[in-house]
Each structure stands twice: as C-alpha cells, then as structure tokens.
Amino acid sequence: MAAEAAKKLMLYPDPECRALTEALADRLSLKYENLLVTNGSDEILNFAFMAFCDADTPAVFPDITYGFYKVFADLNCVPYKEVPLKDDFTVDVDALIKQKGTIFIANPNAPTGLELPLSEIERIVASDKDRIVLVDEAYVDFGGESATVLISKYDNLIVTQTFSKSRSMAGARLGFGAACPEIIADLNTVKYSTNPYNINSMTMAAGQGVLADDEYTKENCKKIIKTREYTITELKKLGFGVLDSKTNFVFAKHPDMSGEKIYSKLRENGILVRHFGSARLCEYNRITIGAYEEMQTLIETLRRILNENCKD
Ligand SMILES: *Cc1c(COP(=O)(O)O)cnc(C)c1O
C-alpha cells in the first residue's frame, strides 16, 4: 500500500487523514471526531503541552516515567511538577490528584513496565473534571487495559497510542490521540497552526494496511507476551527481581551484582540493555523483549556472567 502511495508523491497528502482516521475509529469503537492522528505519538504529546499547559497550569507527572515529558515542558516554557513514585514503583495516585495542573501518565509506565489499573485511572480523571488528564498508552497492547473506553464518559481525558511498538512501525512515525470532540478540535487548532500535512501519504497507507490486518498485530503481541513471560521466569530462576511487566520490556535487578556491572558485562558480550544512572533506578536494567532465540542468548549470557562473578 505504501508503494502505491509513493507513486502519487507529487500530491499533498489528505490533511484530515480521513480514511485512516475512520479505520481507526472503527477499530476503537469511537467516532472520527474523537480522533487525531499524528506524526508519532510524540507529536500529539507536544500538541497537548502546547494546548493545555501554561504558567498557571503546570504539567504534572511521576518522577520516573517517559523522559520526553520534561523535554516538552521545557520546550514550551511551562513549569512542571514531578510526583515521586511510591517505594514499590507504582504511581502515587493520591499525591497526583492533589497537584494543580495537567496530568500526564504513561500507562503502562516506562521504564518500570507497571500498569495502573483502569479504576485508578478513572479515579484520577473523575477527581477534577476541569483538569485535563492525558494517558499515554504507548505499551497498552502488551497486556494493558485501555482508557479509551472512558472517553464517552469524561470530556477531560486524552488517551494517546502509537503504531511504533505493538504495530512495529516506528520508522513510519504514526500515533494518535483520542478524546472528546472539543479537545480534538483544540489539538487540531495546534496541528493546523504548525503542520497541516503532518502524516505523509506512505505512512497513511501503511497505517491503513496494518489496521486492515489486526489479527497479525494481535498474534505478534501474543508472541511477544509469551516471550516476555519466558524471560521473566528464566530471570527469576537466575535470582533476578523482576517487576510485573505489561510492556515489551522487563525491568530487573540482581542481589549479587550491580545494575551497572550487569549492563557493562552484557555490553561486552554484544547485548545492549538500558541502564539508568539515577539513585532509585541504578540497580535495575530495562531489557527489551526480542525474538525468543535472542532472549535465550540473553539468559545464557547472564548465567555465565553470574557464574564468573561467583568465582571472582
Ligand atoms: C515510545 C513512546 C512514545 C513515543 O512514541 P512515538 O509514537 O514513536 O512517538 C511515547 N510515550 C511512551 C511512554 C513511549 O514509550
């Protein structure tokens, strides 16, 4: 489909993304007016910071979460307040609710992989109907429960999702936001003031193609979830503490070896995981779920590294 679209590159793409948006609305049981597709979900996140935060309406988000929220706040010169996660790395809902401003929550969260139950999301949204709450569901397809079902009930909720992860289309840059028609209209004002043709024709066609084969996406997610559960079981057998992941990565630490050392030893062996230097996260590593064979290699390599550590 993208190759066909490439034959018409002399034409501007449809600025309303009609066909793709309607396909998406159908998939999510929402209306065209509830949706705005964007150049990755990062674009709609930035639009939301532009539209719904200012000097009197700070951005509010957990201290450990998607790193770009801070970047968007700084870029748009809006103040932000970071609310610490609880000791078990779950989101402190009561502390969030007490803050004034627009709330941004990645659910499931990164890099912890933990999910806040839908009832807790609803409690945040319902706590103040004059406050906008954005739920960033980049990882929801890996076992999470989507808040899109709440959109007909609350006109202060925005849910964002992406085609980058569960639909393996990060290179195409496609994401979207779902909300009541008034919020979507506001976000469209930002879009038409910055980049009316934000989705290129090939990406639009590829998006329609992937939505037409939803079974493929579902099967793929199932496979990743299965590999994730295998990885968690094997990591635990090696003594790792692993958080309960609802994403395509796991967050793990080992009692006998520092997070930093595990990171460097894996790197020496050609395996890249993500290590964070901050005090609360430095014992952990975020490990992305790859193909089953890759995870077998990871486990065998870790087994060897830990054995060598015992002999030291
Ligand atoms: C990957 C990611 C995004 C951005 O995704 P794109 O659609 O590729 O821009 C946003 N939020 C979170 C939590 C992510 O992990």
Side-chain angles (χ1 to χ4, degrees), residues 31-43:
K31 298 197 178 73
Y32 174 82
E33 292 74 22
N34 290 124
L35 290 166
L36 173 58
V37 294
T38 52
N39 195 301
S41 55
D42 280 342
E43 187 177 50

Side-chain angles (χ1 to χ4, degrees), residues 114-154:
L114 295 174
E115 184 192 34
L116 199 59
L118 190 56
S119 55
E120 288 292 274
I121 293 287
E122 181 159 14
R123 192 154 77 82
I124 299 169
V125 178
S127 69
D128 178 359
K129 294 191 174 165
D130 291 327
R131 162 224 295 286
I132 302 271
V133 178
L134 186 147
V135 184
D136 174 352
E137 296 185 345
Y139 298 104
V140 75
D141 296 327
F142 301 106
E145 211 181 340
S146 177
T148 49
V149 293
L150 299 177
I151 281 168
S152 56
K153 203 167 156 191
Y154 297 98

Side-chain angles (χ1 to χ4, degrees), residues 40-42 45 66 106 136 138-139 162 164-165 173-174:
S41 55
D42 280 342
L45 291 172
Y66 187 45
D136 174 352
Y139 298 104
T162 176
S164 296
K165 282 135 196 182
R173 310 307 301 132
L174 190 60

Side-chain angles (χ1 to χ4, degrees), residues 176-241:
F176 63 89
C180 71
E182 292 76 14
I183 286 183
I184 294 299
D186 284 346
L187 293 167
N188 259 315
T189 302
V190 178
K191 164 184 149 168
Y192 284 108
S193 311
T194 51
N195 189 7
Y197 303 105
N198 61 338
I199 313 293
N200 72 71
S201 346
M202 292 175 293
T203 292
M204 236 183 265
Q208 280 172 256
V210 83
L211 286 177
D213 196 355
D214 217 31
E215 276 313 303
Y216 175 84
T217 302
K218 285 194 184 128
E219 280 309 310
N220 211 21
C221 289
K222 262 192 219 158
K223 213 191 290 177
I224 292 165
I225 290 168
K226 204 169 153 209
T227 309
R228 177 183 75 205
E229 296 313 308
Y230 158 80
T231 307
I232 291 175
T233 306
E234 293 302 315
L235 285 173
K236 285 185 175 166
K237 280 189 209 161
L238 293 178
F240 279 89

